[in-house]
Amino acid sequence: MELPRRARGDELLKPGELTALRKRLRTLGRKHDLATVIACAFDHRTRMLPFVYASTRMPPAGVRAIGSAMLDAGFPKTRIVLQQWNPRFRPSRMRLDGRVPDVFMVSAMQIHGATCIELVRDACRIDPAHRPLIIAGGPKTIYEPWDVFSADPHDPWGADVAVTGEEFVLLSLLEVLLSIHTQGESLRMTFIRAREGGMLDGIPGLVYARGTKEDVAEELVDTGVQRLLGDLDELPHPVLGYRLLEPPGRATTLGAHALPDSRIGRYSRIGGLVLTYGCHFNCPYCPIPAYNQRQFRAKSGERIADEMFRLYSEFGMRYFFGADDNFFNNEARAVDILSTLAHTQVGGLRLRKRMRWGTEVTVHDALKLKDHLRLARDAGIRALWMGVEDMTATLIKKGQSVDATTEVLGLLRARGICPMPMMMHHDSQPLLTVGQTPYGLLNQVRLLRKAGAISLQVLMITPATGSRSYEEAFTSGLAYRSVGGRTVEPHMLDGNFVVASHHPKPWRKQLNILAAYLYFYNPLRFLVALVRPKSRLYLADAGMQALGMSGLVKTIRRTLGWAVRLRLGPIRRKSRVPASKAPMRSVDGGPALHALPGTPGGEGQPASAPTARVPGAQ
Ligand code: B12
Ligand code: SF4
């Protein structure tokens, strides 16, 4: 089920609205000495192909964006902790500025859901008098906000609020809280007052719990779908967030200082930057178009050039990755950004001589922009990740075909841009086919490599929250509950495990993925890449082979056991969409917009509102 869209014309914030809010908060923030910790949940079991390097060497943009927003709003006592770098971090032990922080935030993707919950649970162990306001956000809560609340009276824990939106939602919440915050009162107490007074109900993009017992959600109130920021130049500068990173370490607590400027570039080898959002395709398995409410949003070329320049000059960062859904989505916009970057000078040299970057596009749009690929290289682009999925377009038609894909790969290679195809393996695709149509997985991998692919991503198609086909994956019995007695856990939803299939021999699918990687990344190819590289970029081909082989060892170690279970069975399937156990409602008692089918009270029946218990109140 896709996220609903706001009424036509009301999807976006008014121009200047975020800028004005940032300004107001700076004035308000001066009067409040807030300390905030923002944790990025990361399940280390997800460290395997194709994300081995990026998952630890590219601090996620989401937590950094929230950190930037906090610093920009006048809260310098903010620290960002990445579980990627600080696996033992325990919120119950954190101190910032010598005290328990006023706010603890956690950001998570769905696959890191288990660690996200563990962080929230641990934060709940802080004694009630000092407990921070707990806010959960990120792609996990955007689609499944209920998962950060417990509905079990025997196991009470939970965030105070889940944010189902971006920076504007969080800052709006803080503005409301700080406008009524009194000296000596904990921010969590202020939050409870605001919640009980209905003051949060006018901020679309929140889900909060109500109940008579603390940390037990008897019902969840959903304030609706966020308004999106249209002009991304209004966002706080990413340089701010980088200055808040906790240095990597094995401690459970926080260090005295954030990572110094001189070490930021060393640990953040790749800088993930928001450049654009949105995609004009409408693939049934993808939540992106609905999340963006069919809007396309972008930063200007000047702003992007400034972000790259500052990150380079202040932290020595040279490699960037655009957090784009489809950078070539809008031709005019893409060409405008590329032209600006191509003409940007950094220290007397063209930007491309100092920095390199890559991003995600589609085959169809890359072909449409084929005359601008030289410009793309001049702008510093050296690699493009492309959702090829299935070259024969049997799984999904989005303008790709064997010829189009081969042509694009050839063009990119000729322009000195590394093609990085991403494929989706599916039930009806065999490992190998003989004959004219290269339908088999290995046939396609072979063609891609021949055409110049430098890296490869092969993931099994897996139900994605917020996509059109999500609900059916459960009602049709496609999604597994457990295999051979092992439950399917959130970290297994990354596409590396076969967890949803109607194939009679799903273990074959699991092994097919390994075979495809092994065919692409192997010692022989590594040696050939050293002498006859596919890329004009010095050692890019051999480097990716080396990285791929080391990632493949991890992938085999983590997924081979699953293949054995798939072979031996039994496979138990889910029949219902994973939905909230607590009833959900909108602020006016109607259906909650973030509820999935099967949610009590979420499909039109207004839930009765229990009277909330305010901690400390008699
Ligand atoms: C770049 C990217 C990657 C990079 C990430 C590298 C890195 N370390 O940063 C790579 C290529 C490695 C990657 C891998 C994967 N990705 Co990815 N990726 C993206 C992409 C395109 C951009 C992410 C980004 O930087 N966005 C910009 C930031 C600013 O946005 P954000 O993180 O959503 O944060 C905003 C809000 O969510 C909110 N927010 C975030 N945290 C918090 C916290 C609080 C407290 C609050 C209040 C708000 C808040 O405010 C932020 C600012 O606006 C997104 C799609 C997208 N456009 O966002 C997918 C996306 C994050 N990826 C996704 C997936 C599924 C994956 C994979 C599992 C692969 C797959 N099967 O597709 C792997 C997992 C790897 C791993 N082990 O973690 C999904 C996640 C879905 C979900 N429900 O969790 C997304 C959303 C795409 C989609 N399908 O919709 N990915
Ligand atoms: S082309 Fe990619 S981003 Fe666009 S809808 Fe399809 S899968 Fe999603």
Side-chain angles (χ1 to χ4, degrees):
M1 220 178 93
E2 294 185 315
L3 284 179
R5 179 178 178 168
R6 291 186 68 87
R8 298 282 158 126
D10 187 34
E11 299 96 339
L12 298 177
L13 295 166
K14 291 192 190 71
E17 224 174 326
L18 178 62
T19 310
L21 174 59
R22 285 167 55 194
K23 217 186 248 170
R24 287 199 304 276
L25 262 174
R26 259 175 248 145
T27 316
L28 202 55
R30 253 181 255 136
K31 300 177 207 141
H32 305 269
D33 176 35
L34 288 194
T36 304
V37 171
I38 313 162
C40 179
F42 185 83
D43 193 322
H44 281 260
R45 290 171 292 183
T46 62
R47 283 213 67 207
M48 59 181 127
L49 278 179
F51 312 113
V52 178
Y53 190 77
S55 56
T56 52
R57 293 310 187 103
M58 182 173 152
V63 260
R64 287 189 290 102
I66 295 303
S68 295
M70 292 300 289
L71 195 56
D72 172 82
F75 306 112
K77 289 176 191 162
T78 302
R79 186 71 57 85
I80 298 173
V81 192
L82 307 178
Q83 277 197 312
Q84 291 85 327
W85 294 357
N86 303 86
R88 295 193 182 161
F89 167 70
R90 313 278 305 165
S92 56
R93 305 217 44 217
M94 67 189 167
R95 297 287 181 279
L96 194 62
D97 195 33
R99 59 188 160 121
V100 178
D102 304 277
V103 189
F104 174 63
M105 301 197 214
V106 54
S107 168
M109 281 169 57
Q110 181 194 33
I111 59 164
H112 305 301
T115 33
C116 167
I117 288 171
E118 197 35 57
L119 286 168
V120 174
R121 274 178 178 278
D122 192 58
C124 291
R125 290 186 189 116
I126 299 172
D127 77 272
H130 296 101
R131 184 167 139 181
L133 172 67
I134 304 174
I135 308 176
K140 166 77 190 166
T141 57
I142 284 172
Y143 300 103
E144 299 173 305
W146 55 86
D147 257 0
V148 292
F149 302 95
S150 165
D152 181 357
H154 304 293
D155 183 20
W157 64 274
D160 293 301
V161 59
V163 171
T164 57
E166 301 174 357
E167 291 90 337
F168 187 82
V169 180
L170 173 72
L171 296 183
S172 305
L173 169 68
L174 284 178
E175 185 180 36
V176 166
L177 299 186
L178 294 184
S179 66
I180 60 161
H181 185 225
T182 55
Q183 232 189 354
E185 183 185 48
S186 77
L187 201 66
R188 183 160 181 264
M189 212 47 173
T190 313
F191 168 84
I192 291 166
R193 279 202 294 124
R195 184 188 69 191
E196 295 314 302
M199 294 176 75
L200 308 180
D201 297 352
I203 306 171
L206 301 176
V207 171
Y208 62 81
R210 289 176 58 102
T212 48
K213 188 169 177 228
E214 197 171 356
D215 285 338
V216 180
E218 283 170 29
E219 71 164 4
L220 294 171
V221 180
D222 182 348
T223 65
V225 176
Q226 66 169 333
R227 281 190 193 88
L228 299 161
L229 175 69
D231 177 4
L232 302 180
D233 283 3
E234 283 191 47
L235 285 170
H237 205 288
V239 114
L240 302 176
Y242 275 108
R243 291 219 158 85
L244 304 174
L245 293 169
E246 171 72 13
R250 312 287 298 168
T252 51
T253 55
L254 297 175
H257 304 283
L259 196 63
D261 284 11
S262 56
R263 287 169 66 205
I264 291 174
R266 205 174 106 204
Y267 288 103
S268 313
R269 302 300 293 185
I270 311 169
L273 292 180
V274 170
L275 313 180
T276 69
Y277 280 118
C279 175
H280 62 94
F281 286 98
N282 198 13
C283 305
Y285 52 75
C286 176
I288 287 168
Y291 169 76
N292 285 289
Q293 301 184 48
R294 266 78 191 175
Q295 306 297 308
F296 309 125
R297 312 181 277 149
K299 280 181 185 159
S300 65
E302 288 74 17
R303 167 66 184 245
I304 294 168
D306 178 65
E307 292 188 1
M308 288 185 179
F309 170 72
R310 284 192 60 188
L311 293 169
Y312 168 77
S313 54
E314 294 177 37
F315 310 134
M317 290 170 68
R318 296 189 57 225
Y319 302 99
F320 300 102
F321 184 75
D324 301 289
D325 301 313
N326 176 10
F327 179 71
F328 287 164
N329 189 60
N330 177 310
E331 184 173 344
R333 183 183 73 184
V335 171
D336 184 51
I337 294 173
L338 294 175
S339 307
T340 309
L341 294 182
H343 292 105
T344 300
Q345 297 269 331
V346 179
L349 284 177
R350 289 275 170 97
L351 180 135
R352 71 167 189 272
K353 298 277 181 196
R354 305 270 188 201
M355 298 163 231
R356 294 166 171 191
W357 60 287
T359 186
E360 290 190 30
V361 298
T362 58
V363 170
H364 174 268
D365 294 317
L367 205 54
K368 222 171 70 191
L369 269 84
K370 65 178 175 185
D371 296 336
H372 301 291
L373 294 179
R374 191 183 294 277
L375 177 68
R377 187 179 155 93
D378 285 349
I381 291 189
R382 290 294 179 277
L384 285 176
W385 277 259
M386 280 174 300
V388 171
E389 327 303 10
D390 170 358
M391 285 172 94
T392 57
T394 311
L395 173 71
I396 180 78
K397 284 189 182 52
K398 50 180 188 181
Q400 87 281 37
S401 65
V402 175
D403 290 345
T405 310
T406 317
E407 186 185 348
V408 168
L409 264 67
L411 287 168
L412 290 175
R413 210 178 141 196
R415 300 279 174 257
I417 297 174
C418 298
M420 319 293 250
M422 305 187 287
M423 308 198 61
M424 269 191 187
H425 190 36
H426 50 99
D427 274 0
S428 51
Q429 185 180 42
L431 180 64
L432 197 65
T433 47
V434 185
Q436 290 291 306
T437 324
Y439 187 39
L441 181 59
L442 286 187
N443 305 59
Q444 298 195 12
V445 175
R446 183 171 164 270
L447 279 177
L448 290 170
R449 179 64 187 170
K450 234 173 105 185
I454 300 300
S455 75
L456 179 75
Q457 169 175 321
V458 184
L459 297 178
M460 183 71 191
I461 186 161
T462 305
T465 47
S467 63
R468 267 206 317 286
S469 55
Y470 188 63
E471 195 182 337
E472 198 199 325
F474 294 89
T475 50
S476 70
L478 184 81
Y480 299 165
R481 176 184 304 285
S482 69
V483 177
R486 183 174 167 195
T487 305
V488 174
E489 294 177 66
H491 75 89
M492 297 166 75
L493 305 178
D494 65 351
N496 275 308
F497 293 85
V498 176
V499 292
S501 168
H502 281 309
H503 198 279
K505 294 179 178 163
W507 54 275
R508 283 203 176 160
K509 300 275 118 196
Q510 192 68 58
L511 295 180
N512 288 355
I513 295 174
L514 295 181
Y517 279 135
L518 206 54
Y519 180 80
F520 194 90
Y521 296 118
N522 58 62
L524 191 66
R525 249 188 237 292
F526 171 70
L527 293 176
V528 175
L530 280 174
V531 283
R532 274 186 31 219
K534 291 270 182 198
S535 164
R536 277 165 42 189
L537 285 183
Y538 181 62
L539 284 185
D541 197 8
M544 282 310 298
Q545 281 292 323
L547 211 61
M549 283 188 291
S550 82
L552 182 53
V553 173
K554 287 193 172 70
T555 310
I556 294 173
R557 194 160 48 85
R558 294 201 195 275
T559 61
L560 202 58
W562 188 249
V564 174
R565 281 178 195 269
L566 289 168
R567 174 77 182 85
L568 301 176
I571 294 176
R572 302 209 190 288
R573 294 168 188 273
K574 290 188 176 167
S575 56
R576 290 183 55 222
V577 185
S580 172
K581 290 190 180 67
M584 287 181 79
R585 64 169 175 92
S586 68
V587 291
D588 55 13
L593 292 179
H594 289 86
L596 290 184
T599 305
E603 289 159 296
Q605 310 91 317
S608 59
T611 316
R613 182 181 164 271
V614 180
Q618 296 304 306

